[in-house]
Amino acid sequence: MVTIRDIAKRAGVSVATVSRTLREPEAVRPAKRDAVNQAIEEMKYVPNAIAQQLRRPRHEAIIVIVPEIANPFFSEIVQSIENVAHELGYRVLIGETQGKQERLDYYAEMVTSRVADGLILLGSLLPSVVRATVKAGKPLPMPLVLACESYAGLNCPHVVIDNVAAAKLAVQHLIEVGRKKIATITGPMVNSLCADRLRGYHSAMVEAGLTPEAGWIVDGDFSIESGHSAMLRLLELESRPDAVFCANDEMAIGAQQAIQEKGLTIPGDMAIVGFDDLRFGAYASPPLTTIRQPTNELGETAMRMIDAMLHDKPLTEQSVVLAHQLIVRRSSGAQERLASNK
């Protein structure tokens, strides 16, 4: 492995000059800077950015990136991260992207410029600098942990649930209570977890010998409003479904509202299963059957992972898959099914 001592020898400069060129190139005389950069190129030297970060003075500050802080699912994870961070002596800074790449890149630059020590990413976007280094086959430019999603080709710690298996469980539950015309309202398909939940839906349908009809798969954006509008479209179909699996609870609540606005009943006319088990789901009308994600464990695990990286401790697991759980309430019709069988 090429070291900065090798670079210094090739360029005919001191190790300190090489180090300064890597950190503060503007502070190095052009001739020496050019010699160092030429040696780096010739010897194909790749700085270990995370190791450099670990050697620098730390601020004991972590940035947590969320797509939307108002989303209760992300708020619960952030709360758990904050609890563990306080225990470990870190400050937590929140960055909300609202789906905008430039916002995410701004927060990532705070880490690469040493304003903060590491990044916990809850959304589906990756910082541009991370994507560029992965594409170039270089090490990560910052300590980074992914919570909720993982990305092919990105070698960094992550904590997730099995979204395929969880969605499959939700749809199998609807099949078990007697539904056969099952639709789904997906989240944004740019998210890997949304693609996985759609795969789980298809898997359950295929295994049961059921085929989704045209129009039964409708895109949403995880908001209540998108669940409402998607459900209205489903209700207008000539072959109307009798059940719907929603990729999150907020869309499920919007779907419930649309069904009731049309004078239909839940679960009589339409059974519903959501995803996340947000607290308000238990108080919906009727209470929402859903898949529970362990938000406390997601946040705690992510925070302990980033702490281990910053203190150069070995991670017991690079990839952690947490357990999900089906929470059965009235919206799916399970109680009515049991009553009718007595």
Side-chain angles (χ1 to χ4, degrees):
M1 182 179 294
V2 178
T3 68
I4 62 171
R5 292 184 182 278
D6 299 322
I7 298 299
K9 184 176 180 180
R10 173 70 70 90
V13 299
S14 67
V15 171
T17 298
V18 176
S19 180
R20 194 177 304 115
T21 300
L22 292 170
R23 294 196 318 270
E24 302 173 279
E26 68 281 356
V28 181
R29 286 191 298 176
K32 289 188 175 183
R33 184 174 64 225
D34 292 345
V36 170
N37 288 331
Q38 182 177 345
I40 287 173
E41 184 176 350
E42 291 173 352
M43 302 185 77
K44 302 187 183 306
Y45 172 68
V46 178
N48 187 333
I50 292 181
Q52 290 178 343
Q53 187 82 13
L54 291 169
R55 287 193 295 269
R56 293 167 181 163
R58 289 200 296 269
H59 299 277
E60 306 298 341
I62 299 299
I63 301 178
V64 180
I65 300 295
V66 297
E68 183 185 5
I69 193 62
N71 186 314
F73 173 70
F74 294 123
S75 298
E76 290 181 13
I77 297 177
V78 169
Q79 185 178 50
S80 180
I81 290 173
E82 172 66 40
N83 289 341
V84 178
H86 180 74
E87 169 196 327
L88 297 175
Y90 289 89
R91 292 175 293 124
V92 174
L93 310 175
I94 308 299
E96 183 185 41
T97 66
Q98 297 180 4
K100 297 176 181 177
Q101 185 70 50
E102 60 271 21
R103 286 196 176 197
L104 175 57
D105 290 343
Y106 169 79
Y107 295 121
E109 199 275 334
M110 291 176 66
V111 180
T112 57
S113 63
R114 307 194 302 277
V115 174
D117 302 309
L119 200 65
I120 296 177
L121 187 61
L122 304 187
S124 60
L125 288 176
L126 286 177
S128 295
V129 65
V130 171
R131 285 189 281 124
T133 54
V134 170
K135 186 177 181 180
K138 297 180 179 180
L140 286 174
M142 67 185 74
L144 173 67
V145 169
L146 305 180
C148 307
E149 297 201 42
S150 60
Y151 298 86
L154 180 56
N155 184 26
C156 78
H158 58 272
V159 52
V160 295
I161 67 165
D162 186 336
N163 283 284
V164 176
K168 184 176 181 179
L169 178 63
V171 178
Q172 285 174 330
H173 172 70
L174 289 169
I175 294 169
E176 288 167 1
V177 298
R179 307 297 168 135
K180 296 183 178 180
K181 302 171 66 177
I182 304 170
T184 184
I185 301 174
T186 74
M189 296 310 294
V190 295
N191 292 21
S192 62
L193 64 84
C194 295
D196 284 346
R197 290 175 194 176
L198 183 58
R199 284 171 55 205
Y201 163 82
H202 278 298
S203 179
M205 296 288 279
V206 168
E207 286 189 12
L210 303 175
T211 303
E213 295 196 18
W216 284 6
I217 300 173
V218 186
D219 292 344
D221 64 10
F222 282 150
S223 69
I224 291 176
E225 293 79 8
S226 73
H228 182 271
S229 61
M231 192 70 241
L232 290 176
R233 294 199 297 276
L234 289 170
L235 294 176
E236 290 171 357
L237 295 175
E238 184 176 345
S239 178
R240 193 177 75 193
D242 59 9
V244 60
F245 163 57
C246 299
N248 82 335
D249 284 353
E250 289 200 58
M251 292 192 298
I253 295 297
Q256 283 187 320
Q257 179 67 27
I259 293 164
Q260 291 165 344
E261 286 174 359
K262 293 296 183 179
L264 302 174
T265 62
I266 304 169
D269 296 307
M270 187 75 66
I272 297 183
V273 175
F275 203 108
D276 288 340
D277 192 29
L278 301 180
R279 282 177 290 182
F280 59 67
Y283 302 95
S285 181
L288 184 64
T289 295
T290 187
I291 295 292
R292 174 175 292 168
Q293 290 208 66
T295 51
N296 287 341
E297 288 182 76
L298 281 167
E300 177 178 346
T301 304
M303 186 61 224
R304 295 197 185 280
M305 280 178 160
I306 200 86
D307 175 64
M309 294 179 74
L310 291 172
H311 289 89
D312 204 17
K313 300 175 185 175
L315 289 170
T316 55
E317 293 181 273
Q318 183 86 353
S319 173
V320 176
V321 181
L322 300 176
H324 56 271
Q325 181 182 1
L326 176 69
I327 305 299
V328 178
R329 301 190 182 105
R330 285 186 50 220
S331 72
S332 60
Q335 288 87 344
E336 286 80 358
R337 177 80 169 180
L338 288 172
S340 66
N341 289 337
K342 290 182 179 180

